[in-house]
Amino acid sequence: MQKWFRISLLLCIFGFLKEIRPSEPFVTDFLLGSWRNITEEQVNRDVYPVGTYSYAAQLIIVFLITDFLKYKPLIVTLGLAGIVTWSLLLWTESLEALQVAEIFYGTYLATEVAYYTYIYAKVEKEHYSKVTSHTKAAILCGRFIAGSSGQLLVFLKWMDYRQLNYITFTAQILATVWAVFLPPVQTSVYFHRKPFVQQTNNEFLSSEHELVVKEKRNVAKIIWNQFRRAYTNRKVLLGSFWFIFGMCGYLQFISYVQILWNAINVEKEAIWNGAVEAAMTLLGAFSALIAGYSHNSFLSDRRSVIPLVIVSLGSGLVIFLGAHTMNLYISYAAYLIFGVLYAFASTIASAEIAKHLEEDSFGLVFGFNTFLSLVLQTILTLAVVTGIHLSIFQQFYIYAAYFIVLGVVYFIIYVWDLCTVPKIILE
């Protein structure tokens, strides 16, 4: 077995294990069940927002230290944070303990950046596309199995919502143990670059140690130069703008959609959250695949804005539909459509960014974009969830308007390009 494939396989197993979380599609129903004495209002305003704030606050710190600590310690931390999170969910009952669990869940999400970037420090660039597809496939398989198995166990009444957390808890333990045996990283993009020997006036520098010290002093300069070149590129800015705002809206939607479903399901019918999550995993993967091929084949640089316009407007409409009905299955369908649209558009936006980036600045730009999306989500949460006292339905109307405005902005950009680009070409 080739070294790069072995490393990819090891990381894929970790990614698969950490995604075995069959309790997540039912977490709101678990929190509102007889195991705890908290209300839907408390979950909406006092529990879930803590996870958003924690994620945003920790991501920038994790992003800065991941390269310095050489990835693996943060991957182990990811697993440990998962163990603590699900321990608190299983064996505590107070509101305060839930809020602490959300803080650790923010750590769990923030440290995922180490998982997604570790592989690029361990394998050669010629294998990047293959290992990316491997890790993505492992994540999707884990999510599909978690959603479908969780739904099956609940439907057959073999487990209740609380017992599903034991499976999640066990999977996090296995993932953490597996992470300990991942091979360590020796070099990284910024702080631990490969030493090289430089010749000046036919004399070599005295030692590799001096070169390493010099490289570390240049870290800030390297990061700034990559940052400046990336964000002065108009195409990177257009892709990044949608990535930031689109991801913010997506995270806000999926964070509170279970509360919406609980409010719609007044008759307390059987819920199919796990099946819906499993279906969205498959449909989202298929949508992303189509976007990848269509972006490379028939979408020109100018026309690549069109899908972002259509998807943004379509997302706003389906979010409104999903919140304006009292039929749980219509809301499920809206969720699926939204997931497919987002997977398509986020792939287009990511491809536009990657297409115009220097290779080594992928992690920097995508990490910074993710951080900005979380800052924006924090502001949106403060304004809509904890600030104004709106019902869950009214909150989703705002999210619908948010995507419609995003679509209008990109439509204006498209029209502007149509009017100005020909003039530029003629000049």
Side-chain angles (χ1 to χ4, degrees):
M1 184 183 295
Q2 296 183 43
K3 180 182 176 182
W4 71 267
F5 185 78
R6 180 175 58 84
I7 294 172
S8 178
L9 181 61
L10 291 172
L11 194 66
C12 285
I13 293 173
F14 171 83
F16 175 80
L17 289 173
K18 83 177 183 66
E19 292 299 323
I20 300 299
R21 305 194 296 266
S23 58
E24 284 208 330
F26 308 97
V27 64
T28 298
D29 294 274
F30 163 61
L31 296 179
L32 296 176
S34 58
W35 305 278
R36 295 177 181 274
N37 186 27
I38 61 173
T39 65
E40 181 182 305
E41 182 77 5
Q42 288 176 309
V43 172
N44 186 28
R45 300 189 189 281
D46 299 327
V47 178
Y48 286 166
V50 175
T52 299
Y53 306 148
S54 173
Y55 186 10
Q58 294 183 71
L59 179 65
I60 189 63
I61 299 171
V62 169
F63 178 69
L64 291 173
I65 66 174
T66 295
D67 189 274
F68 181 74
L69 295 178
K70 295 190 284 191
Y71 309 96
K72 181 178 173 177
L74 275 300
I75 296 177
V76 175
T77 301
L78 188 163
L80 293 173
I83 292 172
V84 174
T85 299
W86 273 276
S87 295
L88 290 168
L89 287 176
L90 278 168
W91 294 297
T92 63
E93 297 180 358
S94 68
L95 175 62
E96 293 74 19
L98 271 183
Q99 292 172 328
V100 173
E102 285 293 315
I103 292 173
F104 279 98
Y105 189 62
T107 306
Y108 183 83
L109 295 176
T111 47
E112 283 187 329
V113 68
Y115 168 77
Y116 289 115
T117 53
Y118 166 94
I119 196 69
Y120 301 113
K122 286 297 295 181
V123 304
E124 296 78 11
K125 292 179 181 179
E126 62 193 79
H127 302 302
Y128 277 7
S129 60
K130 293 178 182 178
V131 297
T132 300
S133 64
H134 293 171
T135 52
K136 186 70 173 178
I139 291 290
L140 293 175
C141 285
R143 289 178 184 173
F144 175 76
I145 291 175
S148 55
S149 62
Q151 183 65 62
L152 185 63
L153 290 169
V154 169
F155 178 75
L156 296 175
K157 297 183 179 179
W158 290 352
M159 284 188 171
D160 56 31
Y161 300 141
R162 184 177 187 277
Q163 291 168 338
L164 290 177
N165 286 279
Y166 286 109
I167 299 177
T168 304
F169 178 68
T170 303
Q172 302 313 303
I173 294 175
L174 294 175
T176 305
V177 173
W178 191 266
V180 172
F181 295 99
L182 289 173
V185 172
Q186 302 302 329
T187 61
S188 60
V189 176
Y190 301 114
F191 288 97
H192 306 280
R193 298 165 69 84
K194 293 180 179 179
F196 61 93
V197 179
Q198 179 179 337
Q199 190 174 14
T200 306
N201 298 325
N202 296 322
E203 294 182 359
F204 289 106
L205 294 176
S206 58
S207 69
E208 288 189 358
H209 175 71
E210 291 180 12
L211 285 167
V212 173
V213 171
K214 184 177 179 180
E215 286 295 312
K216 288 183 177 180
R217 290 174 181 171
N218 289 333
V219 166
K221 184 178 179 181
I222 294 169
I223 293 175
W224 169 247
N225 286 337
Q226 291 184 352
F227 184 89
R228 179 177 52 82
R229 284 194 293 268
Y231 288 102
T232 53
N233 185 307
R234 183 175 180 273
K235 294 298 182 181
V236 173
L237 278 176
L238 280 177
S240 294
F241 186 84
W242 199 96
F243 183 94
I244 292 165
F245 281 82
M247 183 178 183
C248 167
Y250 171 78
L251 291 174
Q252 196 73 357
F253 181 87
I254 65 172
S255 295
Y256 294 91
V257 72
Q258 288 186 34
I259 298 177
L260 174 68
W261 291 340
N262 189 74
I264 291 173
N265 191 20
V266 291
E267 301 296 331
K268 301 304 175 186
E269 305 173 36
I271 63 174
W272 296 89
N273 298 10
V276 171
E277 289 290 345
M280 194 175 85
T281 299
L282 290 182
L283 292 174
F286 185 65
S287 176
L289 185 64
I290 293 176
Y293 278 98
S294 63
H295 181 267
N296 290 327
S297 57
F298 66 84
L299 287 177
S300 65
D301 282 346
R302 194 193 309 177
R303 288 164 56 193
S304 63
V305 177
I306 298 176
L308 302 181
V309 175
I310 297 172
V311 166
S312 300
L313 296 175
S315 296
L317 291 176
V318 296
I319 291 174
F320 178 81
L321 175 63
H324 196 64
T325 180
M326 292 306 294
N327 187 311
L328 183 61
Y329 297 101
I330 293 177
S331 191
Y332 279 155
Y335 177 74
L336 288 174
I337 295 171
F338 173 78
V340 169
L341 291 175
Y342 175 77
F344 185 88
S346 63
T347 302
I348 293 291
S350 298
E352 276 296 292
I353 296 169
K355 182 178 176 182
H356 298 92
L357 276 182
E358 294 181 359
E359 196 166 22
D360 284 345
S361 62
F362 286 173
L364 174 67
V365 173
F366 284 108
F368 186 70
N369 287 348
T370 301
F371 171 70
L372 289 182
S373 72
L374 292 172
V375 171
L376 186 61
Q377 188 195 5
T378 299
I379 296 171
L380 190 61
T381 301
L382 284 169
V384 177
V385 180
T386 59
I388 311 171
H389 287 281
L390 301 176
S391 69
I392 190 65
F393 297 99
Q394 292 170 327
Q395 290 176 32
F396 272 78
Y397 295 155
I398 291 177
Y399 305 151
Y402 170 96
F403 273 99
I404 289 174
V405 170
L406 184 61
V408 170
V409 168
Y410 269 82
F411 178 73
I412 293 172
I413 292 172
Y414 175 68
V415 173
W416 175 264
D417 282 350
L418 286 179
C419 296
T420 57
V421 171
K423 295 180 182 178
I424 294 173
I425 293 175
L426 287 173
E427 292 174 359

